[in-house]
Amino acid sequence: DIQMTQSPSSLSASVGDWAIFTCRASRSIAKNLNWYQHRPGKAPTLLISDTSTLQSGVPSRFSGSRSGTDFTLTISRLQREDVATYFCQQSHSAPYTFGQGSRLEIK
Amino acid sequence: QEQLQESGSGLVKPSQTLSLTCSVSGASIGNGDYYWSWIRQNPGTGLEWIGYIYHTGNTDYNPSLRSRATISVETSQNQFSLRLNSVTAADTAVYFCARGPRFYDILTGNGKGNFDLWGRGTLVAVSS
């Protein structure tokens, strides 16, 4: 199975700051990486597919990028509503696998 | 509004069978656009894809659970279900149902298998 290593496990930032989360794949997954947001008590939602394709309704403050097997989710101009756990998922090779998640807190 | 809702037993005894159902509203399992998945989240092992089913009954499973998991579909009820037998404490988790991947992505093998709609999840504890 492809292992997805996500960092940091948690991050605390202020409103208006940037937050950057990274996911590293254990081997090449091309651009087949998806990001999700899981707010407390809510259903997870798909934020970004295929490394950088923003889903409909997702603010442009969210962006995704790739360098080799390293993938980055960047959230600019943080807002209180961004408090959530963010996790990545590779779809390149079965079985689908996920990162451990990164918890974002707002100071 | 498209929604998924998990239901089923919240407490299962060791060695018995876990049984969950996902009810789909605002979307149709039978239109064939998507596969429908089960995913679980355990504090120790994180998120784990269990398997998926198509409206025709075609399934695929994570090899780690293939011997114990069975996913079935009832298109007339717009529901799909998970049964996991011979459970142990390691199966204690929040179980999510989700829509995805898309049929086209599986057919073409393009690697674009994501889950674009999820339920809120249901906690299943395995304990005597």
Side-chain angles (χ1 to χ4, degrees), chain B:
Chain B
Q1 184 181 4
E2 298 174 324
Q3 285 188 330
L4 304 180
Q5 177 68 56
E6 304 90 349
S7 61
S9 52
L11 180 63
V12 184
K13 289 181 167 53
S15 79
Q16 294 193 342
T17 298
L18 176 160
S19 182
L20 296 172
T21 294
C22 181
S23 298
V24 179
S25 57
S28 173
I29 291 177
N31 71 9
D33 289 342
Y34 292 90
Y35 285 76
W36 300 83
S37 290
W38 285 99
I39 297 162
R40 69 181 183 179
Q41 184 172 33
N42 175 299
T45 57
L47 283 155
E48 181 177 35
W49 174 72
I50 299 170
Y52 62 52
I53 192 164
Y54 194 54
H55 73 97
T56 57
N58 184 38
T59 55
D60 194 14
Y61 298 96
N62 191 320
S64 67
L65 293 166
R66 180 170 288 139
S67 63
R68 298 194 295 127
T70 301
I71 300 175
S72 58
V73 66
E74 183 55 71
T75 54
S76 63
Q77 301 292 319
N78 218 25
Q79 295 177 334
F80 62 106
S81 298
L82 169 69
R83 288 174 61 84
L84 186 66
N85 60 33
S86 305
V87 297
T88 69
D91 294 309
T92 293
V94 175
Y95 285 76
F96 298 94
C97 59
R99 185 174 69 183
R102 292 189 310 160
F103 172 74
Y104 176 80
D105 295 333
I106 298 298
L107 182 69
T108 59
N110 62 14
K112 296 183 179 182
N114 59 58
F115 309 102
D116 70 350
L117 183 66
W118 296 59
R120 291 192 176 196
T122 187
L123 174 63
V124 178
V126 178
S127 175
S128 55

Side-chain angles (χ1 to χ4, degrees), chain A residues 32 36 41 43 50 87 89 91 96, chain B residues 47 101 111-113 115 118-120:
Chain A
N32 303 136
Y36 300 83
D50 300 327
F87 56 90
Q89 172 243 333
S91 53
Y96 305 118
Chain B
L47 283 155
K112 296 183 179 182
F115 309 102
W118 296 59
R120 291 192 176 196

Side-chain angles (χ1 to χ4, degrees), chain A:
Chain A
D1 298 359
I2 296 176
Q3 305 302 314
M4 304 302 297
T5 304
Q6 200 171 335
S7 62
S9 57
S10 65
L11 186 158
S12 182
S14 300
V15 171
D17 281 354
W18 292 64
I20 298 175
F21 303 107
T22 298
C23 218
R24 173 170 290 174
S26 59
R27 57 181 170 91
S28 175
I29 58 170
K31 64 173 186 175
N32 303 136
L33 189 283
N34 309 296
W35 289 98
Y36 300 83
Q37 177 189 62
H38 190 192
R39 291 186 173 128
K42 304 291 187 182
T45 59
L46 176 65
L47 287 176
I48 290 172
S49 63
D50 300 327
T51 295
S52 59
T53 301
L54 218 59
Q55 299 304 291
S56 175
V58 176
S60 58
R61 303 184 293 105
F62 291 82
S63 63
S65 63
R66 167 199 176 199
S67 176
T69 57
D70 290 340
F71 297 82
T72 299
L73 170 67
T74 301
I75 312 172
S76 62
R77 304 185 302 280
L78 282 172
Q79 300 183 6
R80 294 201 175 276
E81 66 194 42
D82 299 332
V83 168
T85 297
Y86 295 86
F87 56 90
C88 61
Q89 172 243 333
Q90 68 82 19
S91 53
H92 183 74
S93 175
Y96 305 118
T97 50
F98 296 85
Q100 290 289 92
S102 297
R103 180 176 295 180
L104 174 63
E105 298 176 346
I106 301 294
K107 294 177 185 174

